[in-house]
Amino acid sequence: MQKLSFFTSISSYYSISDISMLLQFSDQSYFTSSFKKFTGLTPSQYHKKPQN
């Protein structure tokens, strides 16, 4: 959950590739699939979703 909060706070400034490296994922594909398993959305879909 902490990493998801981090993603939300920086997703406007960095690319998905940069964020996956910052979060120490081995590659962007693994980050994207892990993110989707956790949230049900890809990082791009999550970023576009209106935040409460």
Side-chain angles (χ1 to χ4, degrees):
M1 190 63 150
Q2 184 179 9
K3 287 184 178 185
L4 183 58
S5 174
F6 179 72
F7 172 80
T8 303
S9 67
I10 68 168
S11 62
S12 296
Y13 306 104
Y14 294 97
S15 70
I16 301 300
S17 179
D18 291 339
I19 294 170
S20 66
M21 287 190 309
L22 287 168
L23 296 176
Q24 300 178 353
F25 279 82
S26 56
D27 61 48
Q28 181 180 341
S29 297
Y30 182 63
F31 170 71
T32 299
S33 64
S34 298
F35 191 94
K36 187 169 183 174
K37 283 181 186 179
F38 186 74
T39 65
L41 301 168
T42 65
S44 296
Q45 292 169 329
Y46 186 86
H47 177 69
K48 292 175 185 174
K49 179 180 98 165
Q51 301 298 318
N52 296 341

